[in-house]
Amino acid sequence: MRVIWWLLTVIAVSGTGILLSERRALDPVQNTTLRVAAPIEGSLRDIASPVNDVFDGITDRGELVRENQELKERIAELERQIAEQQDAQQRVAELEAALGVKQTRPEDSLLAANVIAEEPSGLKRSIAIDRGLSDGIDEGMVVLSGSGVLVGTISRAYQDFAWIRLITDPESAVNAQINLTAAQPQATTPSAPTPTPAPATTPAPTPSASPLPAATPPANEASAIRGVAAGDLKDGLVLDLLPSDVAIGEGSLVLSSGLGGNYPRGLLIGTVTDLEQRPQSPFTKAKVEPAASLSGLDTVLILISFVPARLSEP
Amino acid sequence: MRFVLAFAIGMFLAILEASFMPYFQVLGVTPNLVLIFAASWAMVRGQDEAMVVIPMAGLLHDLTTSDPLGTSVLALAPILVLAAGVHLRAMDTDFVPTVLVVAVASLTYGIITMVVLSATGQRIPWFDGMVSAVVPSIVVNALFTPIVYLPIHWLGVRPTTRILGPGRITTAVTAKRS
């Protein structure tokens, strides 16, 4: 009998807590807890990261050597592409200025944040950062990795802390595209093409040159295949709703399309690793390897200059 | 004093689980140290203390994750019933029953969490959630049980342990049955 009363009490109390939590009434409590826990969590992550690296180094040495060689080759290729793109960007900027075209991302203003925790339940893919409403961030803002690759969006913001929903979370969906002209099948390498590493912990002032990857928009709309990059618990990231007769190869770059207005156009999301075509299905699916290493992130950048459509709605 | 100790251990494990353990995932999941702690405490220290420690552990877990406050309190509640049920069976050790309770509690924890998250409007893929998160967590949590169970076991024996007969030490279960 005592156990039944205890169970009823627990159900009532937890139900009330869940309701209050959904109405944001308990945010100050969670903010205070994170404030207490953040220094300890930061220290523990600092310890865990090198320990994990040691284990990985021991267990995956052969793979690391091979991957290192591949990455060196890829860096050489990317350096060549960057040189070409810098020239192309210059020409695009000159043409836009001459035609009076409104630039979608004239200057990206970024705010650096430290990752202090990860959602431990396997049912969600979220990380906590040490920036909150007091730092000018808001729910829905876009979050990038230190190298400027799309990581996710702010899903819950407290006064001093926030939770980020990663692009691999089942609730995440990003309008994406593959530029056929830029689709270059290659060995699957998850690393992102990164011009410069971002600052460590201090707020990043608006740079004159954007640190985001130089993902050039397609030359014309017909040369891009559009789909939705949705999070998946099993596969991580899946590019869905692609046309059934799509002809893309493994290694094609997946970028945000900007449709819907919740993400800026041209952010690198990942690379296609596997294509799943079914005869009866009207759409094709593709598995995508996120360009950012989403487990073990230490620092992220919040794109505060871009206002997502969901925030600008009245 | 024992509840202060339980609070300190629970808080440390909750923080450890959210910060340190994601680097060392097994089968793609992070071990739920708070669940193992609550189950171990319920098995080693008995029902009376578990009635306080289980909700406290759930609250601490919720405070360090993105789940609505109260989710883990609800999801850990079956541990009390499971621990009571396992105590009815005669065993000379608490360890094997604790592993059993952890395994079953991992299943109920996952299901209740998915129900709560679905009820609060979050998109939960049930099949993938079960296959990718809940089922592996049963194995992983059971594997990590000794790490949490042994320190709690060493911290103190269960209050109901008796000495019966000429120097014969029995467990509480044996004491009840005799």
Side-chain angles (χ1 to χ4, degrees), chain A residues 71-86:
Chain A
L71 289 174
K72 280 179 181 171
E73 291 168 7
R74 182 142 170 73
I75 285 170
E77 171 64 17
L78 289 171
E79 282 174 342
R80 185 187 63 75
Q81 286 183 18
I82 287 169
E84 286 178 7
Q85 288 194 350
Q86 281 175 343

Side-chain angles (χ1 to χ4, degrees), chain A:
Chain A
M1 193 63 190
R2 206 162 60 109
V3 173
I4 292 170
W5 276 111
W6 180 86
L7 278 175
L8 290 174
T9 309
V10 164
I11 291 168
V13 170
S14 54
T16 309
I18 290 165
L19 279 176
L20 290 174
S21 193
E22 285 302 294
R23 289 173 181 269
R24 315 301 299 262
L26 299 174
D27 281 6
V29 180
Q30 293 189 291
N31 187 64
T32 306
T33 310
L34 283 170
R35 188 178 292 177
V36 174
I40 307 167
E41 289 182 324
S43 305
L44 286 170
R45 286 180 70 84
D46 288 344
I47 296 168
S49 183
V51 172
N52 184 46
D53 290 345
V54 169
F55 277 111
D56 282 351
I58 293 168
T59 54
D60 304 331
R61 190 180 179 281
E63 190 183 341
L64 287 174
V65 170
R66 184 184 54 77
E67 190 180 353
N68 191 34
Q69 184 59 35
E70 284 180 5
L71 289 174
K72 280 179 181 171
E73 291 168 7
R74 182 142 170 73
I75 285 170
E77 171 64 17
L78 289 171
E79 282 174 342
R80 185 187 63 75
Q81 286 183 18
I82 287 169
E84 286 178 7
Q85 288 194 350
Q86 281 175 343
D87 180 53
Q89 276 186 322
Q90 178 66 29
R91 292 179 61 192
V92 168
E94 287 171 5
L95 288 170
E96 281 181 341
L99 295 170
V101 176
K102 184 186 173 187
Q103 292 180 317
T104 52
R105 282 158 48 202
E107 286 182 342
D108 291 312
S109 182
L110 303 161
L111 181 71
N114 289 316
V115 177
I116 56 168
E118 287 181 41
E119 171 66 46
S121 101
L123 300 170
K124 291 190 279 183
R125 303 280 186 257
S126 305
I127 53 174
I129 56 168
D130 61 352
R131 299 281 187 184
L133 297 168
S134 59
D135 298 299
I137 70 168
D138 204 348
E139 289 172 8
M141 282 186 166
V142 177
V143 183
L144 312 173
S145 71
S147 52
V149 173
L150 183 62
V151 164
T153 51
I154 305 283
S155 59
R156 186 127 187 172
Y158 304 124
Q159 196 60 28
D160 304 307
F161 300 91
W163 282 94
I164 295 169
R165 179 187 298 125
L166 299 176
I167 50 174
T168 49
D169 185 88
E171 273 204 82
S172 169
V174 185
N175 284 311
Q177 66 182 31
I178 296 171
N179 297 339
L180 287 181
T181 51
Q184 295 170 341
Q186 56 206 304
T188 53
T189 49
S191 64
T194 59
T196 50
T201 55
T202 52
T206 307
S208 55
S210 167
L212 301 184
T216 314
N220 56 65
E221 294 301 322
S223 64
I225 299 169
R226 291 199 165 126
V228 175
D232 189 277
L233 281 182
K234 190 159 63 79
D235 295 325
L237 191 61
V238 173
L239 187 59
D240 205 354
L241 302 179
L242 293 168
S244 58
D245 57 345
V246 67
I248 53 172
E250 289 182 18
S252 300
L253 294 178
V254 181
L255 311 171
S256 60
S257 68
L259 288 177
N262 287 324
Y263 296 87
R265 180 179 179 165
L267 289 177
L268 181 62
I269 297 172
T271 51
V272 173
T273 57
D274 191 21
L275 210 58
E276 184 185 314
Q277 285 175 312
R278 291 181 184 170
Q280 303 298 326
S281 176
F283 298 109
T284 298
K285 271 186 181 180
K287 287 182 189 172
V288 177
E289 177 75 35
S293 177
L294 298 176
S295 61
L297 277 170
D298 291 324
T299 309
V300 292
L301 302 171
I302 301 142
L303 188 54
I304 52 176
S305 57
F306 177 80
V307 182
R310 60 171 79 93
L311 286 183
S312 58
E313 286 171 359

